[in-house]
């Protein structure tokens, strides 16, 4: 079995991050207040992770641990914000 390779994997990942944000935005999410702020923060971090992945693909073997740590940090924080937005949206009185 032949894999994509480091560069192609990072580029496909960047494309999927953008598609992820675009699909969720297209299907309408209309939170208000703090939930909206959390969702905007999620989208910004997801798109930043996409840009980071694309930049990383230019030279995937330069400082891989540092870049991987940064990528995971953006991804985990964005998912934390998504969970916060979901919690705020579904909380009683939201």
């Amino acid at each position: 079995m032949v894999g994509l390779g480091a560069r192609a994997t990072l580029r496909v990942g960047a494309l999927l991050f953008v598609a992820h944000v675009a699909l969720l935005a297209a299907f309408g999410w209309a939170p208000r207040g703090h939930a909206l702020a959390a969702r905007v923060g999620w989208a910004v971090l997801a798109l930043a992770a996409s840009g980071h992945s694309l930049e990383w693909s230019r030279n995937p073997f330069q400082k891989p641990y540092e870049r991987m740590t940064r990528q995971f940090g953006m991804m985990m924080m964005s998912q934390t914000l998504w969970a916060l937005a979901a919690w705020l949206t579904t909380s009683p009185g939201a």
Side-chain angles (χ1 to χ4, degrees):
M1 180 176 203
V2 177
L4 287 175
R7 286 186 179 162
T9 299
L10 290 166
R11 289 176 181 158
V12 168
L15 177 66
L16 291 175
F17 279 125
V18 172
H20 179 74
V21 173
L23 283 171
L24 289 170
F27 284 106
W29 29 293
R32 294 183 184 97
H34 295 302
L36 176 61
R39 289 247 177 114
V40 168
W42 161 80
V44 167
L45 279 170
L47 293 173
S50 177
H52 179 262
S53 186
L54 192 58
E55 176 63 29
W56 186 4
S57 74
R58 292 182 184 185
N59 194 351
F61 301 106
Q62 182 182 25
K63 299 181 183 179
Y65 184 76
E66 180 182 321
R67 290 174 164 182
M68 177 189 64
T69 303
R70 186 178 309 125
Q71 187 77 10
F72 282 159
M74 286 187 283
M75 290 168 39
M76 293 305 296
M77 189 61 195
S78 72
Q79 291 307 306
T80 301
L81 288 171
W82 180 267
L84 176 64
W87 179 70
L88 289 169
T89 301
T90 59
S91 295

